[in-house]
Amino acid sequence: NAGVTQTPKFQVLKTGQSMTLQCAQDMNHNSMYWYRQDPGMGLRLIYYSASEGTTDKGEVPNGYNVSRLNKREFSLRLESAAPSQTSVYFCASSGGWAGRNTEAFFGQGTRLTVV
Amino acid sequence: QQQVKQSPQSLIVQKGGISIINCAYENTAFDYFPWYQQFPGKGPALLIAIRPDVSEKKEGRFTISFNKSAKQFSLHIMDSQPGDSATYFCAASTGGGNKLTFGTGTQLKVEL
């Protein structure tokens, strides 16, 4: 079982460039999430998708867009990268949403540097 | 505004000792409190979780203590081992689901 797979693992962008981070899960989970991890700040939620066809903003959505392509895939797009978006990005998925707390599984992360 | 405050930022413990990490929260609607363990270069992985209807949960060497009135919860690692050296995050969420609010993390080092 692959779990949650993120691509790419590393990326360097120039300021103003765009890119899409890909995430896929093979656990048939309903909910998917994008977090960013910065030193001393823990993980902060960027966007989430409670179920296929729905997306909502998290704590730090500015500068990002997402697409829930199907039940398996949830992508994160940076339209015009800024140095402040240098971070490690994690995708996660969990089985349930309404009324149930279920374990969230995380991918290996994408280390993004914007120069 | 940080809804989940975690301390200490870093911790060094001798092998066999007890590691204690503390978290405090503000939102009384939180009803699920997991702890995640993260090794360098890896994603966080669920270690143990508790709901506010119990005051303690133990799984092997790992114990969560929960104090609802004080809005605090802590992770105790008994008989700490070098393999426990990692970053630990507390988290909280509300009303079902896993839109998690994380603490800032504690870097634990267990020395021989």
Side-chain angles (χ1 to χ4, degrees), chain B residues 51-104:
Chain B
R51 300 181 191 279
D53 53 344
V54 297
S55 60
E56 185 175 281
K57 184 175 181 179
K58 183 177 181 179
E59 291 183 0
R61 296 184 293 109
F62 301 91
T63 300
I64 300 179
S65 297
F66 185 82
N67 186 329
K68 188 174 181 178
S69 60
K71 294 187 288 185
Q72 296 175 346
F73 59 110
S74 60
L75 176 69
H76 291 63
I77 305 174
M78 311 299 288
D79 187 24
S80 298
Q81 299 297 313
D84 296 330
S85 297
T87 300
Y88 293 81
F89 293 95
C90 62
S93 67
T94 65
N98 272 291
K99 197 174 67 172
L100 294 165
T101 298
F102 282 87
T104 51

Side-chain angles (χ1 to χ4, degrees), chain A residues 35 37 45 97 100-102, chain B residues 38 51 89 97-100:
Chain A
Y35 290 88
Q37 183 176 17
L45 183 65
W97 183 255
R100 290 188 60 198
N101 298 113
T102 60
Chain B
Q38 184 181 32
R51 300 181 191 279
F89 293 95
N98 272 291
K99 197 174 67 172
L100 294 165

